[in-house]
Amino acid sequence: METKCRVCGGEVARMFDVPEMRYGTGETFAYAQCAGCEGLQIVTIPADLGRYYPASYHALARPEPVGLRRAVRRWRDAYAVWDRGVIGWLLYARWPEPAIRALAGLELSRARRVLDVGCGPGILARRLLDLGFENVMGIDPYADAPDVVRGDITAVDGVWDVIMFHHALEHVPDPLASLSAAMERLAPDGAILVRMPVVPCAVWDRYGVAWVQLDAPRHLHVLSLRGLETLAGRVGLVVNAVKYDSTAFQFWGSEQVRMGIPLESARSYAVDPAQSVFRPAQVRAWARESRRLNVVGRGDQVMVVLRRG
Ligand SMILES: [Zn+2]
């Protein structure tokens, strides 16, 4: 972006420097906020983006569960997708998981073709296969996993009933091109599911450049709902549903940025809650606050369903 918003063509309202705080490289990156759509974007898209996605970025945090653990996950996930099962409901209340819960309401049969764009190591695709889904594919430009196709969405052919971008659209240099490619691959009654960080939100107001979901320089565009709607409209898509699904991460992650603790450092709550600087009661309070913010549309991330207009 030299002078205009890459999303809506609007003028720059203000500029600011955002530190890289996932690894703590010590770099800062210039971002701008658009006066029109209110979206945030990195001013210059780095030429060497791959450098900011080391192998550890997509490493599996823990091995795939087996035995009872796997059954527990399956009960929980079945509830998340189909609203079915008392055990799953109890498990979900204890271990909520917005990524798979986002599929609720799409009334998916196991035969539906599901494409996960920017799937990382393919965890979600594997869990859908575990639920009995028959046509699931994961694709990611940086991943190095056996059952994940390497590339962006243009590397995939075929027609899909659900195309998911779970915290992926903010990483691509041209979100309009990604939505356009998704539209070309979407079944007539299909749904595109976008989960993403969003502005405006309470933590952006409260923490500013310490907001953890700026994730400079990986997040190239942090869209507003208006910005997403603008891009979707250009390729013939309309917003069908919106649900905020922010978590306590928005608070502990942003607090850590303020304290100078990189997300992937030994003292990070993400790496080891027991070694972190936060008490469990504090994190629970942030989880409650996040649920309240979601209800009033002020959480820092959102789930949007797009369909053909
Ligand atoms: Zn704009």
Side-chain angles (χ1 to χ4, degrees), residues 16-272:
F16 38 88
D17 289 325
V18 184
E20 196 290 339
M21 281 301 287
R22 178 175 290 271
Y23 305 104
T25 64
E27 297 159 279
T28 59
F29 296 88
Y31 276 68
Q33 183 158 31
C34 172
C37 68
E38 291 185 81
L40 307 173
Q41 54 201 265
I42 196 165
V43 172
T44 306
I45 295 174
D48 52 348
L49 273 175
R51 189 158 86 75
Y52 297 98
Y53 296 90
S56 63
Y57 184 86
H58 279 134
L60 286 169
R62 49 189 99 115
E64 278 288 286
V66 293
L68 183 61
R69 279 171 186 279
R70 183 172 167 191
V72 163
R73 190 184 70 178
R74 206 186 287 137
W75 281 324
R76 197 258 325 240
D77 288 354
Y79 166 76
V81 175
W82 295 299
D83 274 308
R84 235 183 264 153
V86 174
I87 296 173
W89 173 67
L90 292 168
L91 291 167
Y92 191 87
R94 180 74 183 76
W95 294 290
E97 167 51 297
I100 194 147
R101 187 63 175 158
L103 292 165
L106 295 181
E107 294 174 17
L108 292 182
S109 77
R110 290 181 170 88
R112 299 280 91 176
R113 298 154 293 186
V114 181
L115 178 63
D116 191 7
V117 182
C119 67
I123 297 167
L124 188 56
R126 219 166 296 128
R127 283 163 54 187
L128 292 175
L129 290 171
D130 204 26
L131 285 179
F133 279 82
E134 294 149 18
N135 299 293
V136 180
M137 184 187 283
I139 180 160
D140 194 287
Y142 302 112
D144 188 15
D147 41 6
V148 173
V149 177
R150 197 170 177 136
D152 65 18
I153 185 171
T154 61
V156 175
D157 291 324
V159 174
W160 302 85
D161 299 298
V162 180
I163 300 177
M164 310 189 288
F165 293 85
H166 288 274
H167 289 270
L169 211 54
E170 63 269 29
H171 293 261
V172 303
D174 188 347
L176 179 65
S178 293
L179 286 175
S180 174
M183 178 68 165
E184 287 166 14
R185 290 159 177 78
L186 191 66
D189 62 343
I192 294 174
L193 198 155
V194 176
R195 293 183 59 241
M196 62 179 199
V198 70
V199 277
C201 64
V203 287
W204 166 240
D205 293 345
R206 199 180 303 181
Y207 291 92
V209 297
W211 175 27
V212 67
Q213 293 220 64
L214 289 177
D215 196 19
R218 283 159 293 272
H219 288 182
L220 306 174
H221 305 87
V222 176
L223 300 175
S224 63
L225 281 176
R226 205 193 316 167
L228 178 64
E229 211 163 356
T230 299
L231 295 177
R234 258 181 236 157
V235 298
L237 290 162
V238 294
V239 172
N240 177 252
V242 174
K243 188 182 159 199
Y244 284 78
D245 65 1
S246 74
T247 69
F249 170 57
Q250 62 190 320
F251 293 108
W252 61 253
S254 302
E255 288 286 337
Q256 288 191 165
V257 173
R258 268 193 183 165
M259 288 184 261
I261 302 172
L263 191 61
E264 307 224 354
S265 66
R267 290 173 70 209
S268 172
Y269 186 85
V271 172
D272 184 357

